Amino acid sequence: NVPFYTHFTSPIRRYADIVVHRLLSASLGARPPIKMEKEAIQKQADHCNDRKMASKRVQELSADLFFSIFVRVRP
């Protein structure tokens, strides 16, 4: 029951959320356009996505490592 809906994701995506919200606000006329070229915004988005994927991979590897240790120390 609000005129606009926003959704925040995990903290690793916080910067990306801020950029998207600023772009949305500018497109709705609620704030002036951000002073970044399209290519710079795309570069930031690519970097955020790369970091998210790296974080996910490290999380998976960590789970695998701890499971291996758990299996090894159990009789």
Side-chain angles (χ1 to χ4, degrees):
N1 291 335
V2 294
F4 299 103
Y5 172 78
T6 58
H7 174 76
F8 286 96
T9 57
S10 69
I12 194 127
R13 300 288 301 175
R14 191 78 56 188
Y15 180 73
D17 287 341
I18 290 169
V19 172
V20 168
H21 285 227
R22 287 178 181 168
L23 290 168
L24 285 171
S25 293
S27 70
L28 294 171
R31 64 171 287 138
I34 61 174
K35 295 175 180 161
M36 289 178 73
E37 296 293 325
K38 182 179 175 181
E39 293 79 16
I41 295 169
Q42 184 62 55
K43 186 176 178 180
Q44 287 293 324
D46 292 341
H47 178 73
C48 288
N49 289 330
D50 289 344
R51 296 294 85 211
K52 179 185 176 194
M53 294 304 294
S55 173
K56 184 176 181 178
R57 182 69 179 138
V58 168
Q59 182 180 5
E60 292 167 353
L61 290 170
S62 175
D64 291 347
L65 173 66
F66 283 97
F67 181 72
S68 298
I69 292 169
F70 174 78
V71 169
R72 181 179 293 170
V73 299
R74 300 301 282 180

